[in-house]
Structures are given as structure tokens and as C-alpha cells.
Amino acid sequence: LGRMKPVIVVHGGAGRIFKEREEGCRAGVVRAALRGYSVLKHGGSAVDAVEEAVRSMEDDPHFNAGCGSVLNEKGEVEMDAIIMDGKNLDSGAVSAVKCIANPVKLARLVMEKTKHMLLTDHGAHLFAKAMGIPEIPGEKLITERSRERWKKNLEPDSNPEEFQKDLGTVGAVAVDSEGNVACATSTGGLSNKLIGRVGDTACIGSGGYADNRSGATSTTGHGESIMKVVLARLILYRMEQGMSPEVAADTALDYMKTRVGGLGGVIVVNKAGEWAARFSTKQMSWATVKDDNLHYGIYAGEKHIKSVDEALASEREGF
């Protein structure tokens, strides 16, 4: 069998990206894509690569995942994450977890160390402890911006829905040199959400799906809408019918918009290594590396291309 050329695609969330945050979001998805690609180049698996890319964005306060997550109605961070291996359809997820830096890491441990697929809240917390994952104070995950926004949303005349357009779930999909695919998605959810609210991210088939027979996808956008149409699985189903990643993504996003009025974005890779980053929102930060070329953008129709070497050089100089 010919070796596959590895591919990674990442997103930093669909929605509205405020001007002053654009550079940080661009730099963040580029850094994540380069890190994931480096794992693939050194022979790492697709699962390793998507975990690494998502971890990089969880640690970046520009995104609504890990540090920088939005706050629930009580002013706390509750996070969801999922990871899936396209080889055997194994998946692990966590929901409503608090006080850990990298929910995607915990999701991977659920996949590899338990017979289950999804652990929630207190149980996830006990499992993290058993696995030796360090607990960090909840405050450590809260940025000034998240707190400001939470306060604004508490005001009587506020409209949290308005702010929820700037969503920033993070995700990654990859194909490794063995031809295996994987996906990972992580989020802080909706600003001022009810305690215990779980969105699409932790749900297999909605927040992400990976199957070597067709490809992998990670989604972002209005979680409840994504769950109604099981968006990730819908995209792969379209590819199984013979659509390209781009057409499959557009068709599914269009269906979600017309059927339930939901907006979102997706990244997709098929088993042949063709990829797409598509969205129905105003913006979505995304980046991909294939054939040692980095592509990235935020606006519809925007696509910058750099060689990986050039990108790594500017990365070292601090973007």
C-alpha cells in the first residue's frame, strides 16, 4: 500500500470574530495546525495529531475551550470535549468538566482506559483524579473577557443570544501516513448557559465523527441545531454517497440552515486526503497543512498559503 500524505485541518470556531481578536485567532489556528502536522510528519497517528492540535487551542485564551472558555449562568467554566479514531470507531468524550486544563486529554483517556464513551461532570472529575490529571483552580481558566461578557449577559436588557454568535469551539481532523483518520472537538459551550447544559461537542455524530471508510469531520456553531441534524454524521453520509468534502459540507450546512435555522462551520477530510473548511456564519478561523503547504483564513473566500518552513520560521519569531 502506498503511504498516504498526511493532512491536518483545524478550526477555532465559527461565528463572529471581533476585529481586535482576528490576529490572535489566525495565529492560534496556524500554530495548532503546525503542531498537529509536526506529529504526523514524525510518524504520529491521526489521533495523536488531533489531540495535540486541540490541546494547543485549549491553552490559547483566544478560543472558547480550555483557558478562555465562556462562563455558565453561575459564572463557572464547564467544558465538553470528544475524540474519535476512524480505524475502529472508538471514541471518548467528557461533558460539563471543571478545573482541568485540557478536556481533550481526558476524552482520550476515556476512549483508551474505559469501556465507556462519555463521562460527565462528577464522574469525569473522579476519573480525571484516578488518571492523575492535575486539578487546577477554576479561576485559572477564566479570562477577563469571559467574565466581562458574563456580567453583560446578566444585565436585564441583555441578549445572550447576540453574544453567542462569537462561539469559538475548537476542533481538528487528520489523516495520517497509514491512512487512518481521526477527529477531536473541545468547547466551553454557550455563554450564560444553564448549569449542566451539554451541547453538540460531546455527542458522537454531532460534534465530530471519524470513519476510515469515508473520512472525518469536526463541527462548530449553534450546538442545539447541530444536534438536531446530527451534522458530523450527515456530512460523512453525503461523502459516502460520493460527494466531495466541500460539497458534502455545504449541503449539510445548508440543510441545517433551512431545516432548523442553525448556523455553523465544519472542517472535513476524506480518506483520500481531500479537505474542506466551510461555514454558514460570518467567519470561522481555520488552517490546514497538506503537502508541506499551510493554508489558512477567517473570512469566506479568504485563503492565505505559505510553505510550512516559512510558517515555522515566522512562528519562531512570534508570528
Side-chain angles (χ1 to χ4, degrees), residues 217-238:
T217 179
S218 167
T219 67
T220 166
H222 185 244
E224 281 72 13
S225 300
I226 290 170
M227 290 159 95
K228 286 175 186 176
V229 302
V230 200
L231 186 62
R233 192 65 190 85
L234 182 59
I235 291 166
L236 290 197
Y237 168 66
R238 292 298 183 197

Side-chain angles (χ1 to χ4, degrees), residues 140-193:
K140 272 240 165 88
L141 298 170
I142 299 178
T143 58
E144 199 35 55
R145 177 166 178 268
S146 297
R147 197 180 292 285
E148 280 308 297
R149 190 166 177 191
W150 171 72
K151 282 195 188 128
K152 264 211 178 79
N153 286 341
L154 289 178
E155 290 164 13
D157 56 351
S158 83
N159 175 11
E161 269 72 58
E162 213 11 71
F163 283 100
Q164 285 163 6
K165 292 200 172 84
D166 172 25
L167 287 164
T169 297
V170 305
V173 295
V175 188
D176 60 28
S177 55
E178 306 280 304
N180 292 312
V181 300
C183 70
T185 313
S186 179
T187 190
L190 288 180
S191 192
N192 296 60
K193 62 189 179 179

